[in-house]
Amino acid sequence: MEDEGAYARAGGRLPGDPVPDPGLGLGDEGRSAASPGPPRRRRTSWQAFVHALPVLLIAVAILYDVLTPRYFTAGPVYAAAPLIAAPIYSRRGTALTGAAVVAAVVALQVGKGVIHYVDSLTELITIATVAVLAVLVNGLVRRTGERLVSVREIAEAAQRAVLPEPAERIAGFEIAACYEAAQADAFIGGDLYAVQDSARGVRVLVGDVRGKGMGAVAAVAVVIGAFREAAEQEATLEAVAQRLERALAREGTRREGLDAFEGFTTAVLAELPHGTGTVRIVNRGHPPPLLLYPDGTLSALPAREPALPLGMGDLGVWPDRAEEAPFPGGATLLLYTDGLSEARDARGEFYDPHARLAGRAFRHPATLLDLLAEDVRRHSGGGMADDMALLAVRRPRRGEQDHCHEP
């Protein structure tokens, strides 16, 4: 696999691949997560300032007390220091901040000769009480943080169970997947993808369930479970689509309210037969896949006969017909949900994957998806309105396949 290492060190391009256009953003292949851009540096500087704020407050309060007459006090500033330390410091750090504040107030009151006054004693007791409360708040924050970490780990485990990452290589094909949730801190929504090898070829699915929340996640689980079973058992891709239709129909009878009547899933299914340079596609109301050729040309694979999304069979019955297209070595098949094609910029213009990828070539599907996801985030200003699922499958050239099977 020495060629793969050289490819990675070259930033994802082989000597014969087209040179990226820096103006697209997709060509910024030298940038990685290890090399953060200016926004990340700004966030880091702000975090450093917040972390130092309790110490700065103590210093400002001491300076104020030293430079002002004896009856002036910076009590509120002293009290603020341990309260700010509570959510950002450890318990020990919060306690030390409180102790430093109390010690500073005692020292300054003694130096000014006002410690025996009632007002000064009241101020000292108040600040000491705030310091103790800050330690208690720190404990509550730490327990809440631990619960949030636990919830996050459970969400990640649920995502891996419902929407597992496909293997990088299945039956000789190079595969990569990417999921971007529109909701902050979410891991999974209504978009889905799945890859299943079978006796008739590698079968893939990308879909978008109507709705959001746990209802959509439940429908995702139903669709993926039905697909994996059908992909193994059914002789044709059309039969796989019909199995998914029946599975969603059964699920719809168990739902209540609006979803029982309007639940549906747009989906595109693809079959990559073993040993042939073709791809067969069934599209059920989904954005058409894109085929990226090794010379940088690109073509869409729209359905010649539009069909209703899965779960809408009651509105009409049209027989599924798989459409076949050439899938030569070195080409990459890109399947995506409308979170990609309907991402808007500040002017309200949709993201056009066909225009953004035309003339581009990528050596590995993971490189394509990483840069595509970054370009979409840049286009939308980081605020995506819908979930986005991406799945890319590359058929290696014959020489690459032989090399990858070498010991």
Side-chain angles (χ1 to χ4, degrees), residues 50-220:
V50 172
H51 196 269
L53 187 57
V55 177
L56 294 176
L57 289 176
I58 295 174
V60 169
I62 293 174
L63 185 63
Y64 178 87
D65 274 345
V66 169
L67 298 179
T68 57
R70 51 190 274 178
Y71 295 110
F72 286 77
T73 177
V77 181
Y78 285 117
L83 290 177
I84 294 176
I88 59 177
Y89 287 0
S90 65
R91 180 173 299 177
R92 180 184 179 187
T94 303
L96 289 175
T97 301
V101 166
V102 172
V105 171
V106 170
L108 287 167
Q109 287 183 356
V110 170
K112 286 186 174 184
V114 297
I115 193 171
H116 58 282
Y117 292 127
V118 174
D119 290 345
S120 298
L121 183 60
T122 301
E123 178 188 57
L124 178 59
I125 294 175
T126 300
I127 293 174
T129 302
V130 170
V132 173
L133 290 176
V135 175
L136 297 177
V137 169
N138 176 269
L140 293 174
V141 170
R142 289 174 64 86
R143 284 194 292 273
T144 302
E146 291 170 356
R147 286 195 294 268
L148 289 175
V149 169
S150 177
V151 170
R152 186 181 183 91
E153 291 175 348
I154 293 172
E156 291 176 345
Q159 181 188 33
R160 287 191 293 270
V162 175
L163 204 66
E165 193 81 12
E168 294 182 1
R169 183 176 291 272
I170 298 177
F173 294 96
E174 297 173 349
I175 297 174
C178 173
Y179 192 98
E180 296 277 341
Q183 184 177 353
D185 298 325
F187 294 91
I188 187 172
D191 289 8
L192 60 99
Y193 56 75
V195 182
Q196 186 72 36
D197 193 14
S198 72
R200 297 162 186 83
V202 175
R203 289 170 168 172
V204 301
L205 165 70
V206 169
D208 185 356
V209 174
R210 174 197 168 275
K212 298 183 181 297
M214 293 307 298
V217 175
V220 166

Side-chain angles (χ1 to χ4, degrees), residues 331-379:
T332 300
L333 180 68
L334 174 64
L335 302 95
Y336 59 91
T337 59
D338 58 9
L340 174 71
S341 55
E342 295 183 2
R344 296 175 183 260
D345 62 10
R347 297 171 296 181
E349 295 182 1
F350 289 115
Y351 184 88
D352 185 354
H354 193 286
R356 304 290 285 190
L357 293 173
R360 309 280 305 151
F362 298 89
R363 173 59 183 81
H364 195 277
T367 305
L368 165 63
L369 297 193
D370 288 345
L371 297 177
L372 187 58
E374 177 62 28
D375 196 46
V376 174
R377 286 191 293 268
R378 187 182 296 111
H379 176 83

Side-chain angles (χ1 to χ4, degrees), residues 283-321:
N283 194 321
R284 299 293 297 269
H286 199 78
L290 298 179
L291 196 57
L292 289 72
Y293 296 96
D295 62 356
T297 59
L298 180 149
S299 64
L301 302 176
R304 287 189 290 269
E305 297 184 17
L308 290 174
L310 298 169
M312 300 183 69
D314 291 342
L315 300 181
V317 178
W318 290 268
D320 288 301
R321 292 187 176 89

